[in-house]
Amino acid sequence: VRPLKLGGIVLIGWGATLLAFDAVLLGAFDATAPELALLGGAGGASFLSGVVMALIDARRGPRETPGLQPGESLRLTELSMATVVVCAGVAMIAVGADVGSWLQLIGGGVLVVGLGGLVREFLAEAHA
Amino acid sequence: VSAPAIVLPSRRFGWLELIASTDHKRIARRTIAASLAFFVGGGILALVMRTELAEPGLQVVSTASYNALFTMHGSTMIFLFMTPIALALGLYLVPLQVGAPAVAAPRAALAGFVLYIAGGLVMWAGFLTNQGPGRATWIGVDPLSSSINTPGAGMDLWVWGVALVHAGFTLTGACILATALRKRAPGMTLLRMPIFTWTMVATCLMVVFSFPVLVVAMGLLWADRQWGGVFIGNDGAVVYQHLFWFYGHPAVYVMFFPFVGAVAESLSIFSGRRFFGYKFFVPSVLLFAALSTSVWGHHMFTTGQVSNRFFALTSTAIVIPAGIEYFDLLGTLWKGTIRFTTPLLFAVGFLIQFLVGGLTGVMVASPALDYHLNNSYFIVAHFHYTLFAGSAFGMFAGLYLWWPKFTGFRLREGLGQLHFWLLVIGTNMTFLPMFFLGEQGMTRRIADYPRSSGWETLNFLETIGAYVIALAIAVFLVNVAISMRRRIPAGPDPWDGQTLEWATSSPPPPHNFDVALPPIRSYAPLFDLKEGKA
């Protein structure tokens, strides 16, 4: 099975369509720089993501669909308090930009604790 | 197809699951609940505005408060209600529809939810500040949103709230997209994915590749408010609008495609037929999404600084994929054995009412007409017909259709149909007169209008309509409450469904499927099974 069938084709095709629209905008209309950059940037990002996905799938070997195959097993993550803590830290840092640097400092600490928790979760999963 | 092995941790954490669960179904249910709460909040703001506009003169709020009301109403409905509930439907259903045991990157999905809640609370925290919340319109238009024209912490909180919420949506969209493209079960090839999943793929392509632009725009706006020098002069204002609308127009379709998917699933289930024209629908929805990402400049026709002809062309070209989709949706009903359930009523309501929004969209896609109609109530009517008369009806079609799957019990049909008819009456009573008021020259975002304008009767009618909408939503909430207190078990497949989510229990177990999946030979594997084609 060709790796493009595994999903990369969607991103490549969609990105190529945006790039084609961008080419029309550039070639046939009096386009401005922000217009070309925004449309071309989105199209290029989608196209490149698709190429990367197709390359990854090509290395995984032939399979009809990319998900879990019969006989394979998956460990499900049920909880992640560390993720919540990281997000709380990010929100505190953002709001602290207005409220005051004291909140940003607390947010920074919370973020570090959360990131540490994430590392711990990933290590625990790897050893499970 | 034999089920793959799923390994679940043995420990349970109780209350911790409430805030830190990475189960996509729990995250989606919480997102739906939060977005409905924000919907009620945004609706109350709308009622205050409509009460103010019921007759000439300022009776209820000041002009400054009115500015805050319409800013927070628009921001709440778009950022905190319609977009998150659209993504939540996808987060719940896409893994189930493609036969995956979990969403891709479950921690990122949880982070998306937490950032959404945090951003929403930050945005609404502006009401607690001295100068009130954001009041520079839901698009935070520059230079109105500069610190000189809109001073105060409330506006800053609005900026950060919008940034946090959309960082969260980008994560959620990426998880859903990766699930559809990377987590499909054996047999579920791309062209066997259900219609709803394809509409979510189109939605999430737009989310992933346009929403980050808004996060950047909000960062720049905040820097501009603090230190200035970012959006300078006329060019700066136009650049801000480019950044905003490159997010803003795809966002309209982010609030549309998932509900087209919900309507499509409703129509095929309740007409007892396969979806008509699947192979035309799939490329058309992807083309639709690409065009939607290429039309943002039509919001800027009157600036005179965008390629009007290009954006008029792409905007008008949208009628082609839209026409294909409408044809497919109507074709699905053709010669079907139709069951007039509540989801079907809402789906048909969506089809008819969205047409009004869509066709008036073709009108304002023409620069010549847009110069005349820009900033008038015609525009307000147009986007409320797309987002409320269209998308909200599609959303209710989806909620009534999948509620038994989400909760394990049914909503009451009688109350559902009462909800539908009240909403039809209220919606059209509120938003149809706006077309006429706009054509007569009533501009949007005004707290008052002169008695001599002759707009009094239509405005009063709209206000009554708004209260009828509120009554309809109250009926829905009563329906939810009654159904929760006196539960009628739904079973795994209460509607005779066609796609994989109906092959598992209601609600599904943490790993989605306790039983082996049926053979997947098409986009409707359960329909195949019932027809004996599997």
Side-chain angles (χ1 to χ4, degrees):
Chain A
V1 176
R2 285 172 297 163
L4 280 181
K5 282 194 171 180
L6 298 183
I9 188 71
V10 175
L11 292 164
I12 291 173
W14 198 72
T17 309
L18 291 190
L19 289 173
F21 290 155
D22 205 37
V24 171
L25 178 60
L26 175 66
F29 298 90
D30 298 326
T32 61
E35 293 166 2
L36 291 169
L38 286 167
L39 197 50
S46 175
F47 188 88
L48 285 177
S49 307
V51 170
V52 170
M53 189 185 286
L55 288 174
I56 292 169
D57 286 335
R59 293 182 66 177
R60 291 175 73 198
R63 43 174 60 195
E64 187 191 17
T65 43
L68 209 57
Q69 308 292 307
E72 292 180 350
S73 66
L74 172 75
R75 180 168 286 276
L76 284 182
T77 310
E78 271 204 319
L79 289 173
S80 177
M81 195 60 206
T83 304
V84 178
V85 175
V86 165
C87 293
V90 169
M92 281 180 190
I93 291 171
V95 177
D98 281 307
V99 175
S101 53
W102 60 271
L103 187 57
Q104 285 187 306
L105 288 171
I106 294 172
V110 170
L111 180 61
V112 169
V113 170
L115 289 173
L118 272 183
V119 171
R120 185 178 157 276
E121 284 182 11
F122 283 124
L123 287 175
E125 274 178 24
H127 291 111
Chain B
V1 178
S2 63
I6 307 294
V7 185
L8 282 168
S10 55
R11 284 193 298 167
R12 288 274 171 182
F13 293 87
W15 66 270
L16 208 57
E17 283 187 318
L18 208 62
I19 55 171
S21 171
T22 51
D23 180 349
H24 67 98
K25 300 175 294 296
R26 285 174 181 269
I27 299 170
R29 280 205 306 260
R30 271 171 230 150
T31 307
I32 290 170
S35 58
L36 287 175
F38 280 121
F39 175 49
V40 171
I44 290 169
L45 301 183
L47 284 180
V48 177
M49 283 194 292
R50 281 306 334 160
T51 306
E52 176 56 59
L53 290 171
E55 58 180 65
L58 288 171
Q59 297 87 14
V60 184
V61 292
S62 65
T63 50
S65 301
Y66 190 85
N67 291 349
L69 285 175
F70 69 66
T71 297
M72 290 304 292
H73 165 71
S75 304
T76 301
M77 292 305 198
I78 289 172
F79 303 146
L80 305 179
F81 162 54
M82 203 55 103
T83 303
I85 205 166
L87 291 175
L89 285 180
L91 186 63
Y92 194 101
L93 292 162
V94 166
L96 289 165
Q97 288 200 331
V98 301
V103 72
R107 285 186 179 84
L110 173 62
F113 168 71
V114 177
L115 289 174
Y116 156 58
I117 295 296
L121 294 176
V122 166
M123 209 184 290
W124 270 67
F127 278 107
L128 304 175
T129 62
N130 285 339
Q131 286 161 297
R135 52 198 181 283
T137 77
W138 79 273
I139 68 172
V141 64
D142 181 82
L144 179 61
S145 57
S146 72
S147 56
I148 297 167
N149 295 317
T150 309
M155 187 67 210
D156 287 325
L157 291 175
W158 182 90
V159 171
W160 281 119
V162 173
L164 289 171
V165 162
H166 287 83
F169 292 160
T170 306
L171 289 174
T172 308
C175 293
I176 298 168
L177 185 62
T179 305
L181 299 183
R182 312 284 302 158
K183 294 282 181 186
R184 282 170 280 124
M188 181 62 75
T189 59
L190 282 175
L191 284 178
R192 290 176 188 165
M193 291 200 303
I195 287 291
F196 176 78
T197 296
W198 269 114
T199 59
M200 285 310 305
V201 167
T203 299
C204 294
L205 283 169
M206 293 187 294
V207 168
V208 170
F209 296 107
S210 72
F211 280 30
V213 175
L214 183 68
V215 180
V216 172
M218 288 300 117
L220 293 173
L221 180 59
W222 181 80
D224 193 57
R225 286 176 57 80
Q226 299 302 309
W227 304 295
V230 180
F231 299 115
I232 305 167
N234 291 340
D235 288 346
V238 170
V239 167
Y240 176 81
Q241 286 203 37
H242 270 302
L243 294 174
F244 186 87
W245 287 116
F246 189 74
Y247 145 82
H249 200 82
V252 172
Y253 291 92
V254 167
M255 295 179 276
F256 171 64
F257 286 146
F259 306 127
V260 172
V263 165
E265 300 280 1
S266 299
L267 293 180
S268 51
I269 288 173
F270 296 111
S271 60
R273 294 195 61 203
R274 274 173 207 282
F275 186 74
F276 174 77
Y278 176 89
K279 286 188 176 171
F280 292 96
F281 186 95
V282 171
S284 84
V285 79
L286 292 173
L287 175 66
F288 204 153
L291 282 168
S292 306
T293 310
S294 313
V295 301
W296 78 95
H298 72 213
H299 294 273
M300 302 164 64
F301 279 153
T302 54
T303 64
Q305 295 191 50
V306 291
S307 307
N308 280 9
R309 287 185 307 136
F310 174 79
F311 289 112
L313 179 67
T314 49
S315 304
T316 310
I318 279 180
V319 299
I320 298 168
I324 292 171
E325 287 173 16
Y326 253 79
F327 187 69
D328 286 347
L329 292 169
L330 292 174
T332 303
L333 285 173
W334 186 256
K335 292 187 178 175
T337 311
I338 294 173
R339 287 178 284 160
F340 282 97
T341 58
T342 306
L344 184 94
L345 286 178
F346 274 104
V348 172
F350 167 92
L351 281 177
I352 295 169
Q353 296 182 142
F354 185 82
L355 203 56
V356 179
L359 292 178
T360 50
V362 178
M363 292 166 73
V364 292
S366 159
L369 287 172
D370 188 65
Y371 271 74
H372 175 66
L373 296 167
N374 187 49
N375 268 342
S376 75
Y377 254 84
F378 190 93
I379 301 293
V380 182
H382 157 66
F383 69 69
H384 278 95
Y385 261 95
T386 56
L387 292 180
F388 194 84
S391 294
F393 275 69
M395 177 205 74
F396 280 120
L399 280 185
Y400 277 97
L401 175 67
W402 284 303
W403 192 270
K405 183 55 61 184
F406 296 162
T407 62
F409 54 88
R410 288 167 175 267
L411 290 167
R412 301 294 194 270
E413 270 296 301
L415 284 171
Q417 300 201 4
L418 177 64
H419 169 204
F420 169 76
W421 287 111
L422 282 172
L423 202 60
V424 167
I425 293 166
T427 298
N428 290 288
M429 197 186 266
T430 307
F431 302 121
L432 194 64
M434 290 183 182
F435 284 117
F436 306 110
L437 286 171
E439 206 280 330
Q440 290 169 22
M442 183 168 171
T443 54
R444 63 194 291 196
R445 298 170 180 143
I446 53 170
D448 192 14
Y449 49 90
R451 200 170 288 276
S452 59
S453 60
W455 300 334
E456 201 173 340
T457 307
L458 287 178
N459 269 296
F460 187 68
L461 193 65
E462 286 176 18
T463 302
I464 295 172
Y467 280 92
V468 177
I469 291 174
L471 181 62
I473 301 304
V475 170
F476 170 68
L477 295 176
V478 167
N479 196 354
V480 169
I482 289 177
S483 302
M484 285 173 75
R485 288 179 70 88
R486 297 175 202 162
R487 299 185 173 193
I488 303 174
D493 185 11
W495 304 118
D496 213 7
Q498 302 181 356
T499 43
L500 287 182
E501 75 270 29
W502 304 109
T504 187
S505 58
S506 301
H511 45 287
N512 287 349
F513 296 95
D514 267 332
V515 293
L517 295 176
I520 301 165
R521 302 274 182 267
S522 77
Y523 55 88
L526 266 64
F527 196 83
D528 293 342
L529 212 59
K530 288 160 192 168
E531 279 197 331
K533 288 183 180 174

